[in-house]
Amino acid sequence: MIETRNLTKKFSKLVAVDHISFNVKRGEIFGLLGPNGAGKTTTIRMLSTLTRPTEGTATVGDYDIVKDDNEVRKLIGLVSEKIIMYDRLTAKENLWFFGRLYDISKEVLNKRIDELLELVQLGNWKDIQVGTFSSGMRQRMNVIRALLNMPEVLLLDEPTLGLDPQSSVEVREFIKKINRENKTTIILTTHMMVEADMLCDRIGIIDHGKIAALDTPTNLKKLVSGADTTILELEIANLTTNMVSLIQSLKCVSSVSQDNSTHIKVHASGDDAFDTIIDAIRAEKGKIASVKNLEPTLEDVFLHITGHEVRDKADQKIPMRRHRRFMPVRRRVR
Amino acid sequence: MGVKSLVSHTFMVTWKDLMELFRNKMGLIMLVLMPIFMMSMAGFIFPSSTSISHVSVALVNQDEGYGNYSASAILIAALEQMNNNTGMMTITNASSLDEVREIIQRGEVDGGIVIASNFTSSLMTGKQGTITIVTDQSNPQMSMVLQIALTEVFEQIGTWVAEQNVQRLPGIDESNSLATVKPYSVQTEGAVSGSFSYFDFMAPGLMAMTVMMSVMTGLPAAISHEREVGTLDGMMVAPINRLAIILGKTLAQTARGLLQGILILTLAVALFGVTIHGNILLIFALLLLGVFSFVGLGVVITSFAKDQETAMMVMMTLMFPMMFLSGVFFPIQQMPWYMQSISNVLPLTYAATALRKVMVSGAGVSMITTELAVLIGFGVVMTAIAVPVFKRAITR
Ligand SMILES: Nc1ncnc2c1ncn2[C@@H]1O[C@H](COP(=O)(O)OP(=O)(O)OP(=O)(O)O)[C@@H](O)[C@H]1O
Ligand SMILES: [Mg+2]
């Protein structure tokens, strides 16, 4: 349904998306998982015809995103990072405006708006201005706006950004439901491992504009556990840096990360890894308060593949060179 | 994409923009206040003699008379009678020139009249009587107006006195006394009958300016705002002609501008006594043509300005020279030649001139062909530049 070949976007010197190639099958939920600034939004914007690629091509439903951009637009629905809603219009007026841009007949549109609002429990709010809505309500509006034209392909850019856990769950359930009931092909981006794990049939891990790994969540996890990896979460009451470096130096241990003053997470391999680690700590007179043997998570996969943690780059979110005096940094749309 | 859907999408964009406009209470208030401020401020800065009333004037009569005859009494009576008719001055009495100077400096009165002590005796002995007009230099506008008005009044009274005097000569009576003392009279007459105030001059230009500026500034501001909050993407991912977005927004801004134009017109007629001599429909047609000639410029600026801040800055830079060089507030003929030549390439100049001709002189289409040609030409050229530039800028 969607195919990208060496899709690339450069912003002057910066390569935001670097020769990305992947296929998404009809009816599939495909996740782009990556940290801030990885190039997720840029990829989505190219697929939704809002930005022209610098290099490479992509097709959506056999239509080229540059040459047949208008055909692509008919097929897709976009849930962007920013909420696409006019604060001064009511919920219904907003949907009416965007719906009319798709040449949906007035009767059909009227019915569909009511259905969609009911679907996200906003039926009673239809004549209220969107500016007064809570973030959760706005995000739900943002999602149903993309469904007005009953798109075959739904592009979701961080659909649960800024939502509380409860609303996030609701939105995720809703995405699954749309996929199940309408056979909608979905690409969604996220920096949350749990979300990608829960929703996606396949995940592309994207970092620095490149796809680092691409597979089903299960297979990705096997990448880690397949090499008989043991992941331990240890709580040591008298943890010292000495102890950490000692564990690190063990032959079976591949990485150690410290969560706080007493907790560490150890990745190790080999049959006797567990015993070796515990023995080493005992020998150092470490008081083990608790041990947890963890299943590998996508976070571990990410660490395994990229060699750094997802949060590593979080502080690079605000690129200083684009910072302007007296002005909050904004993503500019071009 | 057919014409039909282009029209329908354009209409939707206009509808949406107007809904947003009318729901924005603060914005609406500004929309109404702006023309009111403009008009009344212009009215205060450039007072015309006809609009002046109740100027407070201190009167000092030091005339000692000649025997029991006092010429100053007649003079004052005449002055008061004239003042009752026009209501121009509020006259208070003062005792000396020094006192007049002092109360002018204190701001209690705007000017003074001092009749010299030997006024009557001078007249009776065949000399010239002296009347001193004291003005407030810190208010040049007012002092000039007062000076002109009072000089004229005293001139008239002087003529009347002279008439009385010459009638005593042989061969001169009431029928020819005036012609003897003032052999000729000067009359001013406009091409159109009726009185003409500064507002008559300003209102058409102000209207043209408001409507055109509204489109020129409103369009870039609206588009870059939507670009920043992200709603523009919502329109851009829809399978619509990109032209519909720009057309729809232009239409909404035009409606907003025309609304202000109508407001200015109403204010000018109702509050500032402007009379419209030309065809109302022609006035609106001209305003629309003005909008057309400016839209292209607005779109080009929109395409180049990446964010709202830049757009506004470019707008301001363009707006100020235009405001003052387009003959909206001052006649172009008063400007030095190099400014006149700038003025001659600004489309606003032509819109203002054409509108003024129609509103003030009741001109028809045939009398404003040059202006029409320039406006249409400018509009066509700008649109031809703007459409491809915008299409390129919007998908990058
Ligand atoms: N319009 C633009 N002009 C210049 N640079 C840009 C522009 N848009 C994005 N970038 C840069 O491209 C890189 C990728 O940005 P992108 O928004 O695609 O990341 P992302 O994966 O969506 O990140 P996030 O999780 O923060 O949304 C960033 O370094 C960003 O600064
Ligand atoms: Mg993003």
Side-chain angles (χ1 to χ4, degrees):
Chain A
M1 192 70 190
I2 300 160
E3 190 178 349
T4 73
R5 234 174 287 128
N6 291 325
L7 199 61
T8 303
K9 179 73 187 181
K10 289 182 188 146
F11 293 109
S12 49
K13 282 268 153 55
L14 179 98
V15 187
V17 175
D18 195 355
H19 297 88
I20 279 188
S21 303
F22 61 83
N23 288 316
V24 181
K25 294 191 283 279
R26 192 177 287 272
E28 190 179 22
I29 303 187
F30 182 85
L32 279 173
L33 175 69
N36 292 140
K40 305 180 297 288
T41 301
T42 312
T43 310
I44 293 284
R45 289 185 66 79
M46 283 191 283
L47 289 176
S48 52
T49 75
L50 293 174
T51 307
R52 293 269 145 100
T54 328
E55 213 181 293
T57 57
T59 55
V60 177
D62 293 334
Y63 293 110
D64 187 277
I65 55 163
V66 176
K67 279 192 237 104
D68 310 313
D69 51 0
N70 226 42
E71 294 303 318
V72 172
R73 288 181 192 126
K74 286 179 192 165
L75 289 182
I76 62 169
L78 170 71
V79 177
S80 126
E81 244 174 345
K82 293 172 180 164
I83 308 269
I84 303 182
M85 281 283 135
Y86 296 98
D87 283 354
R88 292 208 178 85
L89 302 193
T90 67
K92 185 160 183 180
E93 285 163 349
N94 262 298
L95 295 174
W96 180 259
F97 168 66
F98 288 109
R100 290 296 291 158
L101 298 184
Y102 286 91
D103 290 331
I104 307 167
S105 80
K106 291 184 182 172
E107 299 77 48
V108 177
L109 182 59
N110 241 325
K111 234 180 90 216
R112 199 172 295 168
I113 288 174
D114 287 340
E115 281 168 11
L116 285 170
L117 283 171
E118 279 312 321
L119 208 60
V120 291
Q121 290 105 46
L122 287 174
N124 294 334
W125 294 80
K126 69 175 177 197
D127 293 321
I128 312 250
Q129 292 185 21
V130 173
T132 65
F133 285 16
S134 74
S135 321
M137 292 159 78
R138 285 154 148 280
Q139 187 58 11
R140 279 183 272 163
M141 287 299 296
N142 203 24
V143 174
I144 59 173
R145 189 203 65 78
L147 298 175
L148 281 166
N149 60 329
M150 309 195 99
E152 287 182 44
V153 174
L154 192 57
L155 302 167
L156 299 147
D157 196 3
E158 311 222 21
T160 58
L161 193 73
L163 298 187
D164 66 20
Q166 154 115 36
S167 310
S168 299
V169 170
E170 280 173 17
V171 169
R172 283 176 204 146
E173 288 301 324
F174 188 61
I175 294 168
K176 277 211 149 137
K177 187 170 154 186
I178 297 159
N179 171 257
R180 214 180 322 120
E181 290 175 4
N182 306 340
K183 301 276 170 290
T184 311
T185 311
I186 294 176
I187 294 190
L188 76 88
T189 76
T190 180
H191 62 267
M192 279 179 276
M193 310 289 167
V194 205
E195 185 164 285
D197 203 356
M198 267 179 56
L199 288 175
C200 303
D201 298 319
R202 283 190 307 144
I203 296 168
I205 293 180
I206 180 170
D207 192 30
H208 290 296
K210 289 198 182 82
I211 297 230
L214 196 164
D215 215 325
T216 61
T218 336
N219 283 345
L220 283 174
K221 282 183 222 162
K222 266 194 206 139
L223 263 184
V224 185
S225 61
D228 66 352
T229 308
T230 314
I231 301 164
L232 294 179
E233 196 182 83
L234 291 151
E235 187 184 349
I236 302 168
N238 55 348
L239 185 68
T240 59
T241 38
N242 213 10
M243 220 180 276
V244 175
S245 45
L246 183 91
I247 299 168
Q248 182 89 65
S249 67
L250 292 172
K251 222 199 289 163
C252 60
V253 171
S254 56
S255 74
V256 179
S257 56
Q258 188 165 353
D259 293 345
N260 54 44
S261 59
T262 53
H263 284 75
I264 52 168
K265 204 163 155 193
V266 183
H267 288 238
S269 55
D271 291 338
D272 54 353
F274 187 90
D275 290 335
T276 320
I277 293 166
I278 301 292
D279 286 349
I281 296 169
R282 287 256 168 80
E284 278 293 299
K285 304 223 175 347
K287 294 189 186 114
I288 301 175
S290 73
V291 183
K292 249 187 266 171
N293 201 344
L294 298 175
E295 275 281 290
T297 63
L298 280 175
E299 195 135 18
D300 302 314
V301 177
F302 192 87
L303 186 66
H304 183 80
I305 291 167
T306 63
H308 59 83
E309 274 188 87
V310 178
R311 265 173 265 285
D312 277 1
K313 293 180 70 203
D315 35 12
Q316 288 173 21
K317 171 99 181 171
I318 298 167
M320 285 311 284
R321 69 197 164 72
R322 298 184 65 228
H323 191 86
R324 293 218 181 164
R325 273 193 305 161
F326 315 127
M327 209 177 75
V329 174
R330 303 186 184 104
R331 278 289 146 78
R332 218 138 301 148
V333 181
R334 268 185 281 171
Chain B
M1 266 178 296
V3 175
K4 203 174 140 226
S5 53
L6 177 65
V7 171
S8 124
H9 296 153
T10 302
F11 168 77
M12 280 316 291
V13 175
T14 309
W15 171 81
K16 185 269 298 172
D17 272 16
L18 288 180
M19 286 298 274
E20 278 195 292
L21 174 70
F22 286 117
R23 295 261 169 85
N24 180 358
K25 294 281 166 334
M26 199 56 215
L28 270 187
I29 292 171
M30 292 314 289
L31 186 90
V32 175
L33 283 186
M34 204 275 277
I36 298 180
F37 277 163
M38 280 270 208
M39 290 224 64
S40 30
M41 256 162 51
F44 285 124
I45 301 171
F46 311 99
S48 54
S49 51
T50 49
S51 68
I52 281 201
S53 68
H54 300 294
V55 181
S56 53
V57 176
L59 178 68
V60 182
N61 186 2
Q62 292 171 328
D63 187 18
E64 286 154 358
Y66 189 77
N68 52 6
Y69 175 65
S70 167
S72 61
I74 300 169
L75 185 82
I76 292 167
L79 187 67
E80 272 169 355
Q81 201 200 339
M82 183 218 72
N83 196 34
N84 286 343
N85 293 339
T86 60
M88 190 179 94
M89 293 176 285
T90 314
I91 300 173
T92 49
N93 285 316
S95 60
S96 68
L97 180 61
D98 288 335
E99 190 195 341
V100 171
R101 288 204 174 112
E102 196 189 316
I103 56 179
I104 286 180
Q105 276 163 4
R106 272 195 264 135
E108 284 167 24
V109 293
D110 297 308
I113 304 166
V114 180
I115 301 171
S117 58
N118 59 356
F119 186 69
T120 311
S121 59
S122 303
L123 284 184
M124 286 315 197
T125 52
K127 293 186 213 130
Q128 271 194 318
T130 318
I131 300 167
T132 314
I133 297 168
V134 191
T135 60
D136 176 6
Q137 286 106 321
S138 68
N139 187 345
Q141 286 283 353
M142 183 68 87
S143 70
M144 198 178 75
V145 169
L146 199 66
Q147 190 182 338
I148 292 171
L150 286 181
T151 309
E152 190 177 330
V153 169
F154 291 126
E155 187 96 329
Q156 270 174 25
I157 298 170
T159 310
W160 179 77
V161 172
E163 261 185 86
Q164 300 300 312
N165 290 343
V166 295
Q167 275 175 28
R168 292 197 215 112
L169 300 174
I172 293 174
D173 55 34
E174 269 178 51
S175 64
N176 58 2
S177 60
L178 182 60
T180 311
V181 292
K182 273 189 109 176
Y184 48 82
S185 79
V186 181
Q187 279 175 2
T188 324
E189 197 168 297
V192 180
S193 61
S195 66
F196 182 75
S197 78
Y198 177 69
F199 287 105
D200 290 278
F201 169 82
M202 187 193 64
L206 193 62
M207 249 170 91
M209 191 182 83
T210 314
V211 178
M212 289 158 85
M213 293 290 177
S214 167
V215 176
M216 202 176 90
T217 58
L219 198 59
I223 291 185
S224 44
H225 171 75
E226 284 212 36
R227 207 197 311 244
E228 267 165 44
V229 299
T231 45
L232 188 66
D233 290 343
M235 289 190 264
M236 299 289 291
V237 289
I240 60 171
N241 193 329
R242 266 84 263 269
L243 223 51
I245 301 174
I246 204 96
L247 280 179
K249 287 209 164 286
T250 306
L251 232 54
Q253 296 298 332
T254 310
R256 191 180 80 128
L258 281 183
L259 207 71
Q260 280 188 316
I262 294 172
L263 205 68
I264 294 178
L265 202 63
T266 319
L267 278 175
V269 173
L271 294 183
F272 298 97
V274 171
T275 15
I276 300 169
H277 297 276
N279 185 335
I280 283 273
L281 284 180
L282 184 56
I283 293 174
F284 282 109
L286 266 176
L287 285 178
L288 282 176
L289 183 61
V291 167
F292 167 69
S293 70
F294 260 55
V295 166
L297 194 56
V299 175
V300 171
I301 294 167
T302 314
S303 312
F304 287 117
K306 304 280 182 292
D307 54 51
Q308 212 173 340
E309 206 185 25
T310 326
M312 283 329 282
M313 235 136 77
V314 176
M315 289 330 316
M316 284 297 165
T317 322
L318 282 180
M319 236 171 84
F320 274 99
M322 273 228 232
M323 253 165 88
F324 293 106
L325 292 181
S326 296
V328 172
F329 294 114
F330 325 99
I332 301 166
Q333 291 75 8
Q334 288 181 358
M335 300 178 197
W337 66 268
Y338 51 91
M339 283 197 168
Q340 283 197 30
S341 53
I342 299 176
S343 167
N344 281 336
V345 296
L346 297 176
L348 182 54
T349 311
Y350 294 91
T353 312
L355 212 54
R356 194 172 294 134
K357 279 187 184 172
V358 173
M359 276 172 67
V360 177
S361 341
V365 178
S366 61
M367 288 175 257
I368 50 172
T369 41
T370 323
E371 285 85 3
L372 289 179
V374 171
L375 286 175
I376 293 172
F378 192 85
V380 168
V381 171
M382 281 323 280
T383 312
I385 298 173
V387 170
V389 166
F390 177 73
K391 281 198 168 172
R392 264 207 47 202
I394 213 161
T395 38
R396 255 187 283 183

